[in-house]
Structures are given as structure tokens and as C-alpha cells.
Amino acid sequence: MVSSSHEALHWVFQKDPALLTRAFQKVLRVPFPEPRDFAVLNTDVTEIEPVERRVDTLMRVETDEGAYLLVVEAQGKKDDEKRASWPYYLSYLYAKYRCEPVLVVITQSSATARWAAEPIRRGLPGWDSLTVRPLVIGPDDVPVIANEREAERDVPLAVLSAMTHGRGVKAAAILEPLAFALRTVDGESAAVFGQLIESCLGDSRARDLWRELMAEIRYFFNNPVAEKVREEGRVEGREEGRAEDRSEITLQILEWRGIPVSSAVRERVLACTDLEQLKIWSQRAIQVARAEDLFSG
């Protein structure tokens, strides 16, 4: 499994290849043709000479307008040597597969995103023999999906949001809604997405919070009562379970932040069955100075 944010940032597209074209359309506003089929290809672009070159992720996309190669590069920082290799990657892959290559760079850094987006020009001044214009997905491009319903509508896109913002101050706001949204996918996918997100979180407190949330998710998928609710699709039981889980999460956030929780506060939170009210309290739990401030306003 992935062991670093670099691997996670491009591996997420192998988990859900269609996410990449949705990112083109929804995030970058690039009119990419509707895909019909995907194939993950060998990332090796080494020639006979003993110089090893590999792209991070390579996918072939079939559309009604033809086939495309999506070359995904995860970039942690500025690297002029790596940037110099991108024109070679595209030329080599076109010669090998005879279909149009599209370079996509994904990063958690706004500065790196601006650097990567600059066109690469080769040739005479004013007369380029070759121009490479990477499509860049960075924190300034991907929206912060901090709403549970919005996260449920497109879980992989919400995962991408958490990953690209994972080293910024907005990461914490994404985690809790995303944790609840992960319960709408299968257990295996939830586990994979959870590990990808953890690899991209730069703050140790955010990682600790995410591990707590993932523990709740694992319990949800392993609990036979929760499994019965999912299988039977009972709305009432599902809503009660979500309210109970959110109550526990609210208290855990306070405890994680080192804020004392009195028995009166604990009882009031656990007794609440209003999911919308619990959402408000859980959001306040990230910022309040005292547990009692959950109920202010």
C-alpha cells in the first residue's frame, strides 16, 4: 500500500480512474470527452540505453473522439530536472502508443502548482518547436468539500479534496464530513481511501483525528448491527446510527484537543438525536475553548 503523500496523490487515480476526467471537468473546467473505458498501463518509459525513467501513473482512456494517454505526475516541490523530463515523456509515449498524451501534475503546494503550470517551450525564441502545457491540480483548484451531503455525492472527489488540502489549514474542516461520506462506499474502498488521505496529512493532530475517525469507520463496517442496517436499507436505523456516531465524534474531538468534558455536557450530546444540531456541535468542537461553548448561540 502507499507509504507517502507522493504515492497517494497519483495512486488515487488508479483506484478510481474516472476521477481524473471528473477533475478535468469539475475542477479545471477542461472539456474532456466522456470516457468509455480505462486501462492502467506500465509506467516505464525507459529506452534501450541504461537510463531509467518512469512516470508516476499512466492510463489509457477510450472516448468517442479517440484514445488519450493520461500521464499523472505527483510533485511535492519544484524540481527543474523533473520538469525537463516531461517533454521527453510525452514524445516517447506518443511514439510508442500513437495516441494523444495529456500531462497532469498534482500537488499539495500552491507555489509548486504555479511553477508546474508554466508552459515548457523548446525551440527558437518566438518559434517554438515544442510546447508542453501541463494541466495542474493543486489546492487553489480543488474546492474544499466540507459538507457531508456534497461529499456523499462524489466520494472520490471529496477524497481528492482532502488530499490536495492535506497540508493546509483547511484539512481539518474536510475530515469529519468525509469520514461520514465514506460509509456510503464499500468497506474495502473506504479503507483504501482512508490510507491515501492519512498519507497526505501534514499536521500530526490532523492525522490523529483522522485515525480516530477511521477507527469509527472500521467499527461501522465490522459491526453486525450496522451491516444489517445497510443491507435492509432502513432509513430510521441509519439516521439513528449516524446521530449516535456523530455524538461520539463530537466528544472525541473535544478530548483530542485536551478540553475537559463534564458529565452534563456528555449526557446532553449523547442524548441528542437531531442530526443537524449534532453537525453544528461537531463543527464547533474544532474551535471552542470550553466544552460548554458547544451550546452557545
Side-chain angles (χ1 to χ4, degrees), residues 44-272:
D44 194 342
V45 290
T46 305
E47 297 181 278
I48 297 176
E49 291 82 356
V51 179
E52 184 177 359
R53 295 184 174 94
R54 291 183 184 273
V55 299
D56 288 332
T57 285
L58 178 62
M59 293 186 290
R60 181 186 177 105
V61 183
E62 299 288 344
T63 77
D64 290 335
E65 299 178 19
Y68 294 87
L69 290 177
L70 302 184
V71 185
V72 184
E73 289 283 277
Q75 198 67 32
K77 60 182 180 180
K78 299 177 183 180
D79 184 344
D80 290 334
E81 288 296 323
K82 188 61 177 289
R83 180 180 169 86
S85 67
W86 291 341
Y88 164 78
Y89 290 168
L90 301 182
S91 300
Y92 174 88
L93 290 170
Y94 178 78
K96 180 177 181 179
Y97 292 100
R98 291 298 175 181
C99 58
E100 298 298 335
V102 179
L103 175 62
V104 184
V105 180
I106 182 167
T107 180
Q108 294 178 292
S109 165
S110 297
T112 302
R114 291 191 293 271
W115 164 83
E118 296 175 2
I120 303 170
R121 306 184 189 281
R122 296 289 180 264
L124 294 172
W127 192 276
D128 303 329
S129 298
L130 174 67
T131 302
V132 176
R133 298 177 59 200
L135 288 170
V136 181
I137 301 174
D140 294 338
D141 307 296
V142 182
V144 175
I145 300 179
N147 178 278
E148 183 180 329
R149 297 301 180 191
E150 187 178 354
E152 288 179 351
R153 280 195 293 271
D154 193 336
V155 172
L157 187 61
V159 170
L160 182 64
S161 175
M163 292 168 64
T164 51
H165 293 284
R167 297 189 180 277
V169 296
K170 299 177 180 178
I174 302 173
L175 298 183
E176 188 189 353
L178 179 53
F180 281 92
L182 284 180
R183 300 172 192 226
T184 64
V185 302
D186 63 276
E188 181 182 354
S189 294
V192 171
F193 285 143
Q195 193 164 0
L196 291 174
I197 292 166
E198 183 176 332
S199 299
C200 292
L201 295 175
D203 182 73
S204 60
R205 292 175 300 175
R207 283 196 301 272
D208 289 341
L209 174 59
W210 184 244
R211 287 166 184 162
E212 291 283 349
L213 293 168
M214 285 303 298
E216 294 288 337
I217 293 172
R218 285 190 293 271
Y219 172 80
F220 177 80
F221 281 105
N222 294 329
N223 187 298
V225 175
E227 179 65 28
K228 185 177 181 181
V229 169
R230 291 197 301 275
E231 289 178 353
E232 296 180 357
R234 295 183 302 187
V235 175
E236 181 180 355
R238 185 167 64 249
E239 290 299 313
E240 288 177 0
R242 291 172 66 185
E244 181 179 350
D245 289 339
R246 190 175 285 274
S247 298
E248 293 288 351
I249 291 296
T250 300
L251 296 173
Q252 286 179 3
I253 292 173
L254 293 172
E255 292 168 358
W256 164 69
R257 294 183 58 216
I259 296 177
V261 179
S262 67
S263 58
V265 170
R266 182 177 299 276
E267 290 173 6
R268 182 172 175 181
V269 172
L270 292 176
C272 182

